[in-house]
Amino acid sequence: MSVAIFGLSVDSSFMPDMSRLFSLLHSQGEKIYLYQPFFNSIKDRCDKMPEIEGFFTFGYELPESTRFLISIGGDGTLLKSMLTLKNKSLPVIGINTGRLGFLSAVSRNHIDEAIRYLLTEQYDIEERSVLQFDDGVELFGDFNYALNEITVTKMDSSSMINIHTYLNDEYLTTYWADGVIISTPTGSTAYSLSVGGPILTPDSKSFIITPIAPHNLTMRPIVVPDDNKITLMVEGRGQQFLCSLDSRSEAVNFPGKVVVSKANFSVKTVKLPGHGFFSTLRNKLMWGTDRRN
C-alpha cells in the first residue's frame, strides 16, 4: 500500500519528527510518495530520508493504491494540499507543526499514535463540504473551490462596499461593510469566527454568511442551508474589490457579480480516536481552563 506526504516547508526543529514519521511508515512496509517541492525543501536537512517510491506534483500522479495523504504543516498547508489533490477522492490527515491548527489536529507528540491508528485502520472519515465560486470569467482558473470560505472584501485603501445578497435569487439584504464571508462548517473556526461568526460541527449541512465590520450594527451572521445558491452583487466607490478563495485572492472590477454554491464533491478528512471535533475545540480554544470552572 502507499502513503502520500504533502508539505511546503518546515522548520529545522521538526526534522527529527520527520525522520521518525518516515521510519514508522517504512517499517510497516508502506510505499512513500512525496510532494516534489516538499522533498526539495527537506532533502538536505532530514537525517533519515527513507527510500522514496515516487514523487508527485498533482493528485492524478498518485497510484490507486494510495491509502491517504499526510499533510505536514498548519491548516494553510492542508488547504493547499486540496489544490494539489483537486477533487481526487483521498482521505487527508494533518500533522500540525504550527500553533492553532483546527484541521491539522495531530501534534508532533502524537505522531506515533496517529500512524498506528492509520495503519490499523482505526479511524473514521469526515466528509467536508466545499464551496464553488463562479464569476463568469474563471478568475481562479480551472479550480474555483474553497474548503474554508469565499470572501468578498474592499481593497485596502477604499471605502466600504455595498454587497447586494440573494439566496436562490430571493433578495436577502444589502451589506454596507468592509466585506462578507461565506463559510463552510469547516471554515466556521477560521476567518468567520474571528469576526463573530458561529461555530458549526463539520457535518452541518449549512453555510454561514458573516458581514465584516458592517456599518449597520444590526447586521449579524446568518446560517443558511447549503443547498442555497448565494449571489453577491458588489458595488463601491473605488475601482476594484477583492475576492478570496481560502488563501488565493484576485482583484475584481466594480460592479461585480459572484455566485457561490455547494460543490458536487467533498473533501475527506481523517478523524482519529480521541481527536474528535469537540476535543479539538476544547484544546485549541482552551475551553474549561479557567480555574473558576
Side-chain angles (χ1 to χ4, degrees):
M1 300 297 284
S2 306
V3 175
I5 297 180
F6 178 90
L8 299 175
S9 178
V10 294
D11 190 84
S12 295
S13 64
F14 193 76
M15 285 300 106
D17 301 289
M18 283 296 307
S19 297
R20 192 168 85 255
L21 172 64
F22 288 141
S23 296
L24 287 168
L25 293 172
H26 194 260
S27 66
Q28 297 300 314
E30 295 289 331
K31 296 178 180 179
I32 299 173
Y33 286 80
L34 266 180
Y35 182 57
Q36 182 71 64
F38 187 49
F39 171 75
N40 296 337
S41 171
I42 67 173
K43 63 182 179 180
D44 296 327
R45 296 185 293 145
C46 190
D47 295 333
K48 297 181 180 179
M49 184 68 71
E51 179 180 345
I52 304 299
E53 187 71 18
F55 301 94
F56 69 98
T57 305
F58 301 101
Y60 64 79
E61 298 171 327
L62 292 169
E64 291 301 318
S65 61
T66 305
R67 301 169 67 182
F68 43 79
L69 180 141
I70 300 174
S71 173
I72 309 294
D75 283 359
T77 302
L78 193 145
L79 291 172
K80 285 184 172 64
S81 76
M82 177 184 159
L83 298 178
T84 299
L85 291 177
K86 293 197 171 179
N87 56 354
K88 184 178 179 67
S89 181
L90 192 64
V92 179
I93 184 170
I95 295 178
N96 185 27
T97 65
R99 289 171 291 181
L100 197 56
F102 280 96
L103 287 171
S104 300
V106 177
S107 70
R108 61 199 304 176
N109 298 326
H110 293 93
I111 290 177
D112 299 65
E113 177 189 55
I115 296 302
R116 185 175 70 253
Y117 283 138
L118 285 173
L119 299 184
T120 56
E121 299 185 353
Q122 297 182 64
Y123 58 83
D124 294 319
I125 299 296
E126 289 184 331
E127 299 274 354
R128 295 179 180 259
S129 56
V130 176
L131 291 166
Q132 179 173 328
F133 172 93
D134 182 20
D135 66 342
V137 295
E138 297 186 349
L139 188 65
F140 292 91
D142 64 348
F143 196 71
N144 55 336
Y145 303 102
L147 179 59
N148 266 356
E149 71 270 320
I150 291 175
T151 307
V152 168
T153 57
K154 68 173 188 175
M155 300 293 278
D156 290 342
S157 59
S158 66
S159 59
M160 287 186 288
I161 56 179
N162 292 319
I163 308 165
H164 309 291
T165 305
Y166 299 81
L167 299 179
N168 292 334
D169 298 324
E170 180 180 353
Y171 178 64
L172 172 65
T173 189
T174 294
Y175 296 103
W176 184 20
D178 285 356
V180 162
I181 303 165
I182 301 175
S183 167
T184 65
T186 299
S188 70
T189 53
Y191 193 5
S192 176
L193 179 64
S194 72
V195 295
I199 295 174
L200 301 183
T201 58
D203 57 351
S204 301
K205 306 298 183 183
S206 302
F207 292 145
I208 310 166
I209 303 175
T210 308
I212 304 171
H215 181 71
N216 299 316
L217 298 182
T218 55
M219 291 292 187
R220 289 293 181 265
I222 182 172
V223 178
V224 301
D226 64 7
D227 58 356
N228 275 271
K229 178 185 70 174
I230 303 171
T231 303
L232 307 177
M233 308 292 292
V234 188
E235 300 174 335
R237 294 180 181 176
Q239 299 297 316
Q240 295 179 313
F241 63 97
L242 198 66
C243 277
S244 300
L245 276 63
D246 291 338
S247 60
R248 298 175 292 161
S249 299
E250 295 288 346
V252 182
N253 293 330
F254 287 122
K257 178 181 178 180
V258 171
V259 179
V260 179
S261 57
K262 184 179 181 179
N264 61 3
F265 68 94
S266 59
V267 170
K268 296 179 179 179
T269 57
V270 174
K271 184 176 73 172
L272 300 176
H275 292 80
F277 180 70
F278 299 119
S279 64
T280 300
L281 282 182
R282 289 193 302 272
N283 293 331
K284 301 300 181 179
L285 300 181
M286 295 188 291
W287 286 355
T289 59
D290 192 321
R291 293 182 179 179
R292 295 171 297 177
N293 290 343

